[in-house]
Amino acid sequence: MNILYFLVGCSVLMALIFLGAFVWAYKTGQNDDTHTPGIRILFDDDIVGEKSEEDHFSS
Amino acid sequence: MEDQNKNMIKAVCYHCGEDLPKVKYQIDDKEFCCAGCLGVFKILSDNNLCNYYVYNNNPGQQLKSESHLEYLDEPKIITQLLDYRHESSSIITFYIPAIHCSSCIWLLEHLYKIDPAIFSSRIDFLKRQVTINFNHEGISLRKLVETLNHIGYEPLISLQDVVKEHKNSVDKALVLKIAVAGFCMGNVMLFSFPEYFGLSSFEKQFQSLFGWLNLAFSIPVAFYCGRDYSTSAITSIKHKHINLDTPLALIIAVLFLRTAFEVIFSLGPGFADTLTGLVFLLLMGKYLKQRTYHHISFNRDYRSYFPIAVTTLLNGKEKPVSINEINVGDRLWIRNGELVPADSILMKGDAWMDMSFVTGESQPVHKVLGEIIYAGGRQTSEAIELEVIKPVSQSYLTELWNKDNYKNNSDRQNFNDSVAKYFSIGVFIIAFSATAYWLFKNDSHKAWSAFTAVIIVACPCVLALSTPFTLSAILSVMDKKGFYVKNTDAVEELAKCDTIIFDKTGTLTSSENAEIRFSGALNQDESIIVASLLRNSTHPLSRHILKALNVDQYYSLTDYQEVIGKGLTAVISNHNIYAGHLSMLPIGIQADSETGVHIVIDRSYKGYFEIKHQWRLGLAQLILKLQKFSLQVLSGDTDKDFWMLQTIFSNSTIIRFKQSPHQKLNSILELQQGGNKVIMLGDGLNDAGALKQSDFGIAITDNINNFTPGCDAILKGSSLNFLPDFIQLSKDGMKIIKVSFAIAIAYNCIGIYSAVQGTLYPLVAAILMPVSTITIISFTTLATRWYARKNKLI
């Protein structure tokens, strides 16, 4: 049963990584606007001209 | 069916959805109501942006008159507005009230197609903001704003830059604290499970490991997540009064110390699960309290009505200057439709001031040279020259906000804090008497554990939870009915009120469905003549009348003249026609109305058009329902509607007219000094002081995007009839909170019974706490729904 020590350590470490990921996501403003992206995703792509659309969507 | 659809689509303007006049503007089989809408369509089709019309039907807005944007070329003002400026790129955030649908988002995020110097733009839909990243060498700020204006999305740039004021409704640190507390709670629960179910002998080796882990998880919860409670408790003790945070901080401390003590000396499992669960729930309650509508601004003051810049005259030259830099003695140049930002004296020009912002009086007031013009007035005719006599911050209007008699929000004692005091004292008395009893019995171990157990069990977490849960449930019910309350504390205030004061214009009357009435007679030919004249004007009144006339042909005209804000004249098929204000007409007339658009054709007076404000629907029933309250009407307007109001309200109602903003404020002060709690309903800047002074200020609006003065709640005009139900629901909410207290006290009695005996096992605490919490939360939620249904709000 000594393996439990290792497993407990692993589980706590994993949980900490998830917590860290949440904190990072929150601090970089991912939850600031939860409404608009849901609308934005429904827009169709236009016919792409010489310049790629991508260039204009900075975050 | 398809034909019907076609007809449906044909009947309104392709751009803005307004009804089409009989004579339409057309371009490739699409019909528009005015040249402005057509212009926007042209811009969009030239730039290949017609997808705008794909996502929604008629998504556009009618263009308003042109505004002067010279001030956006002033470097000083530019730096005030920009969020960020780099070598060649700048970032700016605009507040655009017109944003309302997905088409708006699509168009405003494709601005780069209109001007390549705009690098990118992003919308925050709920806040109605657009953040634009542009190359300021390629496009000036002024040009950028003009571009937005041309496509019908005029940014609102005001002195209190709305954009910078907006903060996220929930403080970021709190969410992080909740995350940490939830994380710790989950893990602690996991490691406490073996303890709950009893450990078999060979698992005993893990007991101390789990104990130490639990202690480790409690440290961040006690010292990081629970920090606010201890700081708040210490400050309140310094001020010699007890609030709800005091017992909470004490419990957190006792739980932590006892857990540490038991783990370090291997005496038992400690109370880590109770501690983490408690802090997590408390923070959740706090979160619910803080969550409000961040897309609605409740804290507006005069600065959000004032423009950011004004044109001054320096040696006869016009120069835009930021309003903060205006000094006494400066010469201002105020054009038609612009706001006077500071009290000043009229030096030159013909002033017709629309003072409705300040007094509620809708008719423009004529001012002669040398008269004082108060800040907040809007010029409605030609440009005038003024000399400033008071700085902006000391003007008559702005003094409303700078009064020092406003109630301070900190001395509003909510129900929780008033109960908390007695609660804490009760807990202490029980804890100390239990300790004393066991010490008297010479059992110091039991004395110590009884003391901590009582404090743990008598946790006022119910106090801290039932209120936010109940009130936020009430908030969301009201929210769905178009009544947006600032926060949960305001709901408590609403429940206490006994007096309701109405403003008249815009509150009892509605600005939405005004109807055009013509007093006089026009034959068909004359109607066409009048319409032919009016169609050349962009004034909103002209447009309204044009729509009301509804003619299907126009005559051509010559010698057209428009005196801005006063009227029009032209020669149409050999008739001289005048339309406008009395002072503009060629013959002196004794008309029975000062206001309105008077019509004269060939020196004979035909009558006048006037806008009649409609009373809101169901007003009489509303007043009937509100008979329990003492009612008053304070109007800044003249007493022309006195008899109408008399029939609606009972005879005991006090109705006063011609009230200045300061008089309104003083009436409320008098009532409050008489011990009344006052609800004020108003809509304009002239009610702002009264709204702020009242115990519960409600700003009523027909369009939430419109500007409302600072207040405790915003009410949609269409929901005014629900007002008695809203007030009743808030009262019921206070009842629910009191009942939940009774439930909590019942639980506490069970807990304290075992606690005073010094035999409270962590297991009991661990079960009792969540069970009582779940009971309370489900009770408040269900009870709130039940009352909402009873008040017909669901």
Side-chain angles (χ1 to χ4, degrees):
Chain A
M1 290 303 279
N2 283 343
I3 192 69
L4 268 184
Y5 286 110
F6 174 70
L7 289 176
V8 165
C10 278
S11 80
V12 171
L13 189 69
M14 290 278 284
L16 276 172
I17 290 170
F18 283 119
L19 179 71
F22 172 78
V23 170
W24 168 80
Y26 194 79
K27 283 209 163 166
T28 49
Q30 290 194 21
N31 300 341
D32 288 358
D33 180 7
T34 48
H35 190 90
T36 324
I39 302 174
R40 203 177 278 136
I41 199 168
L42 299 174
F43 294 145
D44 303 326
D45 293 340
D46 294 349
I47 300 151
V48 178
E50 292 162 42
K51 246 185 153 180
S52 165
E53 292 267 321
E54 303 272 306
D55 299 350
H56 290 289
F57 293 119
S58 61
S59 52
Chain B
M1 184 71 206
E2 227 167 62
D3 283 350
Q4 259 187 345
N5 272 349
K6 265 203 175 134
N7 287 342
M8 286 281 294
I9 291 163
K10 280 260 170 9
V12 293
C13 169
Y14 184 71
H15 178 74
C16 70
E18 285 280 321
D19 295 340
L20 288 174
K22 283 272 170 78
V23 178
K24 321 182 223 332
Y25 295 80
Q26 275 181 312
I27 190 168
D28 40 11
D29 83 5
K30 296 179 177 66
E31 296 173 325
F32 299 91
C33 65
C34 61
C37 290
L38 183 82
V40 177
F41 176 77
K42 271 195 186 144
I43 294 173
L44 297 187
S45 61
D46 290 349
N47 289 297
N48 197 7
L49 286 167
C50 283
N51 267 0
Y52 179 59
Y53 300 101
V54 172
Y55 294 108
N56 294 281
N57 288 334
N58 332 101
Q61 309 265 330
Q62 259 184 343
L63 283 182
K64 303 210 170 51
S65 55
E66 280 296 302
S67 45
H68 292 272
L69 299 170
E70 288 86 0
Y71 66 91
L72 289 171
D73 287 335
E74 292 290 308
K76 261 188 190 166
I77 293 170
I78 293 179
T79 47
Q80 275 177 15
L81 290 172
L82 287 182
D83 299 345
Y84 169 84
R85 188 184 177 101
H86 193 57
E87 289 152 13
S88 67
S89 70
S90 296
I91 296 176
I92 188 159
T93 306
F94 289 121
Y95 173 70
I96 302 185
I99 292 175
H100 69 288
C101 68
S102 53
S103 289
C104 308
I105 299 178
W106 184 87
L107 180 60
L108 289 171
E109 294 203 339
H110 286 79
L111 284 177
Y112 61 86
K113 286 190 169 181
I114 296 177
D115 194 318
I118 297 172
F119 189 69
S120 70
S121 41
R122 277 188 89 76
I123 301 270
D124 186 327
F125 185 75
L126 289 180
K127 292 185 191 158
R128 298 203 174 81
Q129 286 175 10
V130 59
T131 305
I132 300 176
N133 186 341
F134 64 103
N135 177 342
H136 57 245
E137 288 161 0
I139 182 171
S140 70
L141 185 61
R142 180 177 166 185
K143 183 93 196 331
L144 178 69
V145 175
E146 278 170 0
T147 306
L148 286 169
N149 287 0
H150 286 317
I151 56 171
Y153 289 95
E154 186 176 3
L156 203 154
I157 303 170
S158 72
L159 183 59
Q160 167 192 34
D161 210 312
V162 192
V163 173
K164 315 247 183 324
E165 290 279 314
H166 273 299
K167 289 211 169 52
N168 220 339
S169 66
V170 177
D171 152 28
K172 275 200 165 184
L174 179 63
V175 174
L176 291 178
K177 279 178 184 161
I178 292 178
V180 171
F183 161 85
C184 292
M185 180 184 78
N187 281 291
V188 167
M189 290 292 167
L190 193 68
F191 297 129
S192 303
F193 258 101
E195 193 69 43
Y196 295 162
F197 297 124
L199 291 159
S200 55
S201 56
F202 80 95
E203 289 163 339
K204 280 274 186 261
Q205 54 177 325
F206 295 110
Q207 196 176 358
S208 67
L209 167 73
F210 292 151
W212 281 101
L213 277 172
N214 282 349
L215 180 61
F217 283 121
S218 311
I219 291 171
V221 171
F223 290 96
Y224 167 64
C225 307
R227 197 174 48 196
D228 294 347
Y229 291 100
S230 46
T231 49
S232 144
I234 289 165
T235 45
S236 77
I237 287 170
K238 271 184 189 161
H239 290 294
K240 292 208 170 55
H241 74 83
I242 292 180
N243 60 5
L244 189 57
D245 291 341
T246 324
L248 289 175
L250 180 77
I251 285 170
I252 293 170
V254 165
L255 278 170
F256 180 75
L257 288 173
R258 190 156 170 189
T259 308
F261 180 81
E262 290 197 359
V263 169
I264 291 168
F265 297 106
S266 311
L267 297 170
F271 293 87
D273 47 354
T274 315
L275 168 66
T276 49
L278 171 76
V279 173
F280 176 72
L281 285 170
L282 288 177
L283 291 175
M284 282 306 278
K286 220 178 193 175
Y287 173 81
L288 278 178
K289 258 187 98 136
Q290 279 196 11
R291 224 179 47 181
T292 171
Y293 318 98
H294 57 275
H295 53 278
I296 300 178
S297 174
F298 291 97
N299 301 326
R300 292 203 173 106
D301 62 9
Y302 67 94
R303 286 175 310 181
S304 37
Y305 294 86
F306 282 19
I308 189 163
V310 64
T311 315
T312 56
L313 291 174
L314 256 176
N315 316 325
K317 273 218 186 94
E318 295 182 18
K319 183 177 183 300
V321 167
S322 150
I323 279 196
N324 300 321
E325 294 173 11
I326 295 177
N327 299 317
V328 175
D330 280 359
R331 289 290 176 102
L332 304 182
W333 185 245
I334 305 290
R335 302 185 192 83
N336 172 36
E338 288 185 351
L339 197 84
V340 177
D343 294 357
S344 30
I345 292 181
L346 181 61
M347 305 303 281
K348 205 192 276 176
D350 197 9
W352 286 88
M353 303 311 293
D354 168 11
M355 302 300 283
S356 60
F357 249 12
V358 186
T359 58
E361 173 70 62
S362 46
Q363 309 175 13
V365 186
H366 189 223
K367 298 269 183 188
V368 293
L369 295 186
E371 251 191 295
I372 291 182
I373 295 182
Y374 289 116
R378 202 177 274 284
Q379 167 64 336
T380 60
S381 64
E382 63 189 16
I384 48 174
E385 194 179 316
L386 306 169
E387 185 171 296
V388 179
I389 52 170
K390 269 189 184 172
V392 175
S393 58
Q394 288 169 23
S395 293
Y396 170 79
L397 184 67
T398 49
E399 273 184 356
L400 272 180
W401 275 274
N402 307 336
K403 271 198 181 297
D404 40 16
N405 59 4
Y406 286 129
K407 56 180 187 287
N408 205 337
N409 269 350
S410 58
D411 52 5
R412 272 191 185 183
Q413 261 243 335
N414 56 23
F415 177 67
N416 265 359
D417 281 347
S418 55
V419 172
K421 193 158 60 181
Y422 302 108
F423 188 92
S424 316
I425 292 167
V427 171
F428 278 122
I429 290 172
I430 296 175
F432 280 115
S433 44
T435 317
Y437 173 82
W438 287 115
L439 283 176
F440 177 72
K441 290 250 172 177
N442 276 334
D443 191 342
S444 62
H445 171 73
K446 270 212 170 152
W448 151 247
S449 50
F451 179 74
T452 53
V454 168
I455 288 185
I456 289 166
V457 164
C459 154
C461 82
V462 173
L463 286 171
L465 289 178
S466 68
T467 312
F469 271 90
T470 311
L471 295 182
S472 64
I474 287 178
L475 280 189
S476 68
V477 169
M478 291 175 170
D479 175 29
K480 287 196 181 77
K481 283 282 176 203
F483 186 48
Y484 306 90
V485 183
K486 189 163 144 187
N487 55 27
T488 50
D489 288 351
V491 179
E492 286 191 41
E493 286 296 317
L494 177 63
K496 291 180 201 158
C497 288
D498 52 18
T499 310
I500 303 180
I501 297 183
F502 294 93
D503 163 58
K504 183 177 74 75
T505 323
T507 305
L508 297 175
T509 61
S510 141
S511 47
E512 282 287 285
N513 43 9
E515 64 169 345
I516 303 275
R517 289 241 306 264
F518 184 68
S519 315
L522 285 176
N523 61 31
Q524 184 59 31
D525 193 46
E526 285 166 339
S527 295
I528 296 173
I529 290 177
V530 173
S532 313
L533 173 70
L534 290 176
R535 69 185 281 231
N536 293 286
S537 152
T538 54
H539 196 276
L541 244 163
S542 314
R543 281 189 181 177
H544 276 298
I545 298 171
L546 196 58
K547 210 185 279 175
L549 283 170
N550 200 13
V551 296
D552 49 7
Q553 59 167 334
Y554 296 123
Y555 300 138
S556 61
L557 73 170
T558 51
D559 300 337
Y560 174 76
Q561 267 192 339
E562 178 164 8
V563 183
I564 287 181
K566 294 187 60 184
L568 321 160
T569 171
V571 178
I572 299 174
S573 50
N574 298 328
H575 297 290
N576 284 321
I577 163 157
Y578 293 87
H581 200 275
L582 276 181
S583 62
M584 142 115 203
L585 304 180
I587 44 176
I589 310 166
Q590 283 305 313
D592 47 1
S593 165
E594 280 283 308
T595 50
V597 177
H598 299 262
I599 307 288
V600 168
I601 299 178
D602 287 337
R603 306 192 69 84
S604 76
Y605 181 65
K606 295 289 174 193
Y608 61 92
F609 289 96
E610 65 170 345
I611 292 194
K612 278 300 271 188
H613 279 299
Q614 300 275 22
W615 296 98
R616 286 187 192 277
L617 293 172
L619 202 58
Q621 291 94 312
L622 172 73
I623 303 303
L624 212 64
K625 278 194 202 160
L626 289 173
Q627 281 195 317
K628 283 183 295 192
F629 298 89
S630 59
L631 303 175
Q632 282 196 25
V633 180
L634 299 178
S635 169
D637 217 337
T638 49
D639 56 6
K640 56 177 187 258
D641 292 319
F642 180 72
W643 293 112
M644 180 68 204
L645 285 171
Q646 274 275 303
T647 55
I648 297 177
F649 288 87
S650 64
N651 295 334
S652 59
T653 307
I654 302 168
I655 303 177
R656 293 198 202 126
F657 293 96
K658 294 196 177 169
Q659 296 285 300
S660 74
H662 286 271
Q663 281 172 310
K664 285 187 181 183
L665 198 154
N666 290 335
S667 320
I668 290 187
L669 264 177
E670 276 167 32
L671 281 167
Q672 285 174 331
Q673 278 152 3
N676 291 314
K677 291 269 186 185
V678 185
I679 297 175
M680 168 83 202
L681 281 103
D683 70 324
L685 203 55
N686 54 323
D687 309 310
L691 286 172
K692 195 171 167 182
Q693 178 60 41
S694 65
D695 296 279
F696 192 84
I698 302 175
I700 194 159
T701 172
D702 288 306
N703 175 0
I704 301 186
N705 313 351
N706 281 359
F707 257 29
T708 46
C711 55
D712 294 307
I714 293 172
L715 174 64
K716 267 191 192 158
S718 52
S719 306
L720 179 64
N721 295 336
F722 291 118
L723 185 65
D725 306 324
F726 291 137
I727 299 173
Q728 188 52 48
L729 184 63
S730 67
K731 289 190 157 119
D732 293 336
M734 300 317 287
K735 255 186 251 165
I736 296 172
I737 291 170
K738 281 166 188 154
V739 173
S740 64
F741 272 43
I743 299 175
I745 286 169
Y747 272 115
N748 277 350
C749 290
I750 302 167
I752 285 178
Y753 174 73
S754 71
V756 291
Q757 295 171 33
T759 55
L760 179 82
Y761 298 108
L763 190 58
V764 179
I767 291 168
L768 202 64
M769 258 252 334
V771 167
S772 70
T773 312
I774 288 165
T775 318
I776 293 298
I777 291 173
S778 30
F779 168 76
T780 53
T781 316
L782 291 171
T784 310
R785 284 194 66 82
W786 187 79
Y787 273 119
R789 190 157 295 149
K790 192 182 136 202
N791 290 320
K792 299 191 184 60
L793 289 173
I794 293 184

